[in-house]
């Protein structure tokens, strides 16, 4: 499973990228707002750091305007994936940009039918939002599983990009289901290293190392 980092914070992207943990980046208007940066500038900077796909989201609602924005975003770098919402206008934009050879990430997916439409429109990525489904007492992971089944049934090449990930548990569950990519905030990727028994075991080893006077360098 590829790891995308869900942030527009340059320092955090660099830190994880140096450890080989970043295969791509996703942003959205809320993350751009949080960064306090200009979308074109910060996206260009991210694209220069990361070799893999960098998703940048359109903010128009009509297909013609989305297309103009998508084409402008795509000019930033070769590794841009234009992010469009899962609406008819978004699907139409997806089809046109895909036909032009531009990567498209169809976002705000909350149902298997929506994912089916995105695949038919040739999306490079479909982004089902796990956490936001969990928030309304639905099971976001069930959606990932359903989309995996449907895409495999028909050999759709659209990559399942599990999004709105809120916990380390979401990451391992997505990997078990077979999501192609999971995009998570930096703190969730870091939390994957945590285990209470690792902490406990390390405390015991450190105490014994001190008692034994072990010195290595
Ligand atoms: C990424 O592509 C999505 O925009 C992001 O994962 C949404 O996450 P949220 O539901 O935590 O805002």
């Amino acid at each position: 499973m590829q790891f995308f980092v869900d942030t527009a914070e340059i320092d955090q992207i660099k830190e994880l990228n140096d450890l080989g943990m970043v295969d791509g980046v996703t942003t959205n208007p809320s993350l751009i707002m949080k960064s306090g940066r200009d979308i074109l500038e910060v996206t260009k900077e991210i694209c220069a750091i990361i070799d893999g796909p960098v998703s940048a989201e359109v903010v128009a609602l009509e297909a013609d305007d989305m297309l103009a924005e998508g084409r402008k975003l795509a000019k930033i770098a070769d590794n841009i994936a234009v992010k469009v919402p899962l609406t008819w206008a978004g699907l139409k934009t997806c089809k046109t940009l895909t036909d032009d050879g531009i990567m498209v990430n169809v976002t705000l997916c909350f149902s298997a039918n929506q994912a089916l439409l995105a695949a038919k429109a040739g999306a490079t990525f479909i982004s089902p939002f796990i956490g936001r489904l969990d928030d309304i007492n639905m099971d976001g992971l069930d959606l990932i599983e359903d989309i995996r089944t449907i895409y495999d049934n028909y050999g759709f090449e659209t990559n399942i990009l599990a999004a709105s990930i809120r916990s380390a548990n979401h990451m391992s569950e997505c990997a078990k289901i077979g999501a192609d990519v999971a995009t998570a905030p930096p703190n969730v990727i870091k939390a994957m290293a945590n285990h209470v028994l690792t902490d406990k075991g390390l405390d015991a080893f450190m105490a014994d190392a001190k008692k034994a006077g072990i010195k290595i360098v």
Side-chain angles (χ1 to χ4, degrees), residues 130-140:
I130 300 176
R132 293 192 196 188
L133 279 170
D134 290 354
D135 288 346
I136 59 160
N137 280 333
M138 292 181 72
D139 191 336

Side-chain angles (χ1 to χ4, degrees), residues 6 26-28 31 55 57 83 105 107 127 129 131-132 161-166 183 185:
D6 201 20
T26 50
T27 64
N28 61 35
L31 293 171
S55 290
E57 189 161 341
K83 213 171 172 192
N105 175 357
T107 190
S127 289
F129 277 31
R132 293 192 196 188
L161 196 176
S164 187
I165 283 186
R166 305 271 170 79
T183 190

